[in-house]
Amino acid sequence: MTTQTMIDQRVSLAVSTVIFALRPHPDTGLMTLWLPLVRRIREPYEGRWALPGGPLESDEDLASSASHTLQRTTGLEPGYLEQLYAFGSLDRSPDDRVVSIVYWALVQPDEIARAVVGPNVEWFVADELPTLAFDHDEIVAYALARLRAKITYTPIAHAFLPAEFTLAELRSVHEAVLRTHLDPANFRRQALASKTLVPTGTCLQGTSHRPPALFRFEARPPSIAPQERR
């Protein structure tokens, strides 16, 4: 690309979202991370899968644009939506220069059931994606790394869980996100030592053995989180 071409190129702003949900893996049956993709219906990359997104409208702020685009393309209205990062490589689009502000959303099973699924919207295992349009492979890899790091030191697992949960359910979320088995005794000790969990004083009903205790997070993070300082 020549210097003059770069000068003449129009710069556009777009908003995209990486949406993570936990669902059983189709082969192993183990809980794993999934995300929805949208098939592009025009060039560039017509027919290629991409993250839900679109141009930033002049009358919308970033979070509103991310929410509206998600609802329009996938039918999802996630309770957890956070700004992830900005991607603006010079060659990320073959046409005009596009800078994308990327959000990530975490959704629960009842939210997945309301998602739109059709010829141009499909759910994929997050670690087994086809080659995506633009630089969306890089974006997904960044989002996965960020989630896997963040779950080790923040209560972000709350976004995949109901308000009250057992330690086994909390461990299963960590195992699915981190793709590893965690020793139950060690996990229990570390989870309780984190001081982020509060016992509800009640137990899970309907089990054939001793009912496990239910917990909640001491302070659930806000549904729409502000951009993190980097």
Side-chain angles (χ1 to χ4, degrees), residues 48-121:
R48 190 83 63 84
W49 293 100
L51 294 168
L56 176 65
E57 302 296 340
S58 60
D59 60 344
E60 287 187 318
D61 60 30
L62 291 172
S64 296
S65 179
S67 296
H68 294 165
T69 301
L70 273 184
Q71 202 283 327
R72 184 176 65 252
T73 57
T74 67
L76 288 168
E77 299 180 64
Y80 184 95
L81 183 67
E82 178 184 353
Q83 192 175 131
L84 178 66
Y85 202 65
F87 291 80
S89 299
L90 292 176
D91 58 351
R92 65 184 306 269
S93 174
D95 296 331
D96 291 329
R97 174 91 186 276
V98 179
V99 175
S100 283
I101 311 301
V102 179
Y103 280 74
W104 63 344
L106 309 180
V107 298
Q108 298 187 1
D110 61 332
E111 294 176 293
I112 301 174
R114 297 193 294 269
V116 172
V117 177
N120 296 317
V121 180

Side-chain angles (χ1 to χ4, degrees), residues 3 13 17 19-20 24 48 54 61 78 89 105 116 124 149 166 171 177:
T3 302
L13 286 177
T17 307
I19 309 163
F20 289 126
R48 190 83 63 84
D61 60 30
S89 299
V116 172
F124 293 82
T166 67
R171 188 180 80 254
V177 171

Side-chain angles (χ1 to χ4, degrees), residues 80 82 104 106 147 150-152 154-160 217 221:
Y80 184 95
E82 178 184 353
W104 63 344
L106 309 180
L147 175 60
K150 193 166 184 175
I151 202 171
T152 64
T154 75
I156 197 172
H158 83 91
F160 294 117
F217 282 108

Side-chain angles (χ1 to χ4, degrees), residues 14-16 37-55 69 73 92-96 98 100 118-122 124 131-136:
V15 178
S16 298
L37 297 174
V38 178
R39 192 194 306 273
R40 290 189 55 81
I41 59 175
R42 62 178 64 88
E43 296 293 348
Y45 301 108
E46 182 177 0
R48 190 83 63 84
W49 293 100
L51 294 168
T69 301
T73 57
R92 65 184 306 269
S93 174
D95 296 331
D96 291 329
V98 179
S100 283
N120 296 317
V121 180
E122 189 173 325
F124 293 82
T131 301
L132 305 183
F134 305 105
D135 58 352
H136 291 189

Side-chain angles (χ1 to χ4, degrees), residues 181-195:
H181 172 73
L182 300 173
D183 178 75
N186 286 340
F187 180 85
R188 177 184 180 85
R189 183 165 51 253
Q190 293 170 3
L192 296 178
S194 71
K195 306 300 183 182

Side-chain angles (χ1 to χ4, degrees), residues 164-206:
E164 297 182 358
F165 50 86
T166 67
L167 288 179
E169 290 172 328
L170 178 61
R171 188 180 80 254
S172 70
V173 169
H174 281 250
E175 290 179 333
V177 171
L178 297 172
R179 297 187 297 172
T180 189
H181 172 73
L182 300 173
D183 178 75
N186 286 340
F187 180 85
R188 177 184 180 85
R189 183 165 51 253
Q190 293 170 3
L192 296 178
S194 71
K195 306 300 183 182
T196 61
L197 300 180
V198 178
T200 65
T202 59
C203 295
L204 182 66
Q205 300 302 311

